[in-house]
Amino acid sequence: MTFRDFNFTPELLDGVLSMGFDKPTPIQQQSIPLVLEGKDLIACAQTGTGKTAAYVLPLIEKAMRHGTGHVQTLVLCPTRELAVQIDQQVEALGYFSGIGSIAVYGGGDGITYEQQKKAIREGIDIVIATPGRLISFLATGDVKFDQLKHLVLDEADRMLDMGFHDDIMRIVSYLPKERQTLLFSATMPPKIRTLAGRLLNNPEQINIAISKPAEGIVQQCYMVDDGHKLDLISQILRDGGFGSIIIFASTKEKVKKLDSAMRKAGFGCHAFHSDLEQREREEIMRSFKNRQINMIIGTDVLSRGIDVEGIDLVVNYDVPPDPEDYVHRIGRTARAERTGTAITFVNSDDLNRFRRIEELIGREVDRIPNPDGIPAMQASSKSPSRNHRPGSGNKGKGGSGPNHRNKRQSPSSGTGNASAKSS
Ligand code: AMP
């Protein structure tokens, strides 16, 4: 399945492509058609599964089809950080669609409050809010949501844990009864079911089973710049006494380069990537299984589906692009009750991506100090937010911003802010 299968408008598809998403994640595959159909939805999914885009994409699509000049979608979430992250995803995915969004949270100054109020009054398409701040808007009668069409509760379990139950119910009392409601939660304790029973109407349910690496895998990481990775891997392999080893790199070019550098350094290894003929790949796998060769360097082509028992070491020479790929990659070791080691090299550009992996697997990976002679990683010169998203700027209906397909800018990073982005 691809994103084209959802029949999104070309502008939305452009947003998806510019984010570098090539195929929908399982939660997206399941939820997008249901949201487009107008169904209420209760989805059990954790951070890292692509849950945000699972509702943001169809809601942007609907906003484009039925733009009204009123706030159409309200997303409630527990924290300011999450509100900003969701807003960034709306901004990035809706970049070419002219969809306006704003993150509304407490703690700002009077100017921020006024900006937020103005944006909502002028009918920005999507409001992402923490409950406390929104209550103060609604209670003063400063803003109205009487034309609202969609309500999303994101991380509903965390909102209840943080004591937002009554605030949520109060906010809902200001919303039209005729609306589509989507509830996302990492866990489904009874209190979430009760909340869903009150707020949702005949909901569809989705459960995304989260993959966790096997218990037996020792997971470690090193913070290391690209220029020192070769030295580091050489030391690890020389000192470690590992039998069979798989090294993953993100592209076939990197695989080829690393393969030749490792050979020069005296290691016997084999590159495995999509440029090889099927016959050659099979030959390598066979020799690896038979222990005739002990080290393969490959792309993610390797990570799914190969079934070789007893791999001792998996090295992620760079952090995999998709958190699920991390689980697939390291799942090549410690199969069938055996233990194995998974080591990941993290450079400064990959820190955020690595944090998402840790969120997905629900634990921190052990940081191992670099051995003597391998300097500590340098801080990135780039912005702290490494979200792959198009540049921020004016956008919105009728705006003069880059809401034009020919005006696509190259993706850049940046942090979100609370100001309205719709003109
Ligand atoms: P979430 O679970 O919403 O917190 O998303 C986790 C990360 O996955 C975010 O950085 C998204 O940008 C990214 N992501 C979401 N959907 C996809 C996709 N279909 N392909 C690749 N990355 C995605």
Side-chain angles (χ1 to χ4, degrees), residues 3 16 19-25 27-28 46-54 57 82 85 89 154-155 321-323 356 359 387-388:
F3 281 103
V16 172
M19 287 282 277
F21 298 178
D22 30 272
K23 61 176 194 319
T25 64
I27 181 122
Q28 291 163 4
Q46 295 176 351
T47 299
T49 54
K51 69 174 169 64
T52 315
L57 284 169
L82 187 59
Q85 273 176 41
Q89 286 218 33
D154 197 353
E155 302 205 355
D322 178 350
R356 288 204 298 274
E359 276 170 13
N387 285 341
H388 182 77

Side-chain angles (χ1 to χ4, degrees), residues 146-254:
D146 45 359
Q147 306 282 334
L148 192 97
K149 300 225 165 10
H150 319 107
L151 168 68
V152 182
L153 302 166
D154 197 353
E155 302 205 355
D157 49 352
R158 249 174 103 200
M159 284 201 279
L160 294 193
D161 289 345
M162 288 167 73
F164 284 136
H165 177 272
D166 293 350
D167 283 353
I168 293 172
M169 296 312 286
R170 235 177 114 196
I171 289 168
V172 169
S173 74
Y174 290 95
L175 308 181
K177 292 217 166 22
E178 278 287 307
R179 57 164 201 269
Q180 182 179 19
T181 306
L182 315 173
L183 183 150
F184 288 77
S185 189
T187 57
M188 283 294 155
K191 59 187 179 181
I192 290 289
R193 299 256 166 222
T194 310
L195 183 74
R198 287 198 188 125
L199 301 183
L200 278 67
N201 179 19
N202 196 16
E204 300 281 338
Q205 303 210 10
I206 298 179
N207 244 313
I208 295 300
I210 196 81
S211 23
K212 297 260 185 214
E215 289 294 319
I217 307 176
V218 176
Q219 296 180 61
Q220 302 176 332
C221 65
Y222 290 86
M223 300 294 147
V224 60
D225 292 323
D226 287 353
H228 299 287
K229 286 180 177 178
L230 188 62
D231 281 348
L232 179 57
I233 193 145
S234 304
Q235 284 201 32
I236 290 171
L237 296 182
R238 288 203 175 100
D239 299 346
F242 297 102
S244 52
I245 299 158
I246 296 184
I247 302 172
F248 286 103
S250 51
T251 62
K252 59 189 169 203
E253 286 69 36
K254 281 190 181 168

Side-chain angles (χ1 to χ4, degrees), residues 117 216 233 320 369-370 420:
K117 191 165 82 184
I233 193 145
N370 290 353

Side-chain angles (χ1 to χ4, degrees), residues 305-377:
I306 68 160
D307 191 14
V308 179
E309 294 292 321
I311 295 167
D312 299 300
L313 175 67
V314 168
V315 178
N316 295 309
Y317 201 73
D318 34 40
V319 175
D322 178 350
E324 286 274 334
D325 281 334
Y326 175 84
V327 178
H328 285 291
R329 284 183 181 187
I330 76 168
R332 300 304 107 205
T333 176
R335 306 201 102 190
E337 309 300 316
R338 295 176 61 125
T339 57
T341 303
I343 294 176
T344 304
F345 292 174
V346 185
N347 69 19
S348 53
D349 285 344
D350 285 340
L351 276 173
N352 262 3
R353 215 188 296 174
F354 194 62
R355 198 188 31 144
R356 288 204 298 274
I357 289 171
E358 293 185 314
E359 276 170 13
L360 180 77
I361 62 174
R363 56 163 285 194
E364 270 197 10
V365 174
D366 294 339
R367 267 81 174 146
I368 308 295
N370 290 353
D372 288 346
I374 312 275
M377 182 184 74

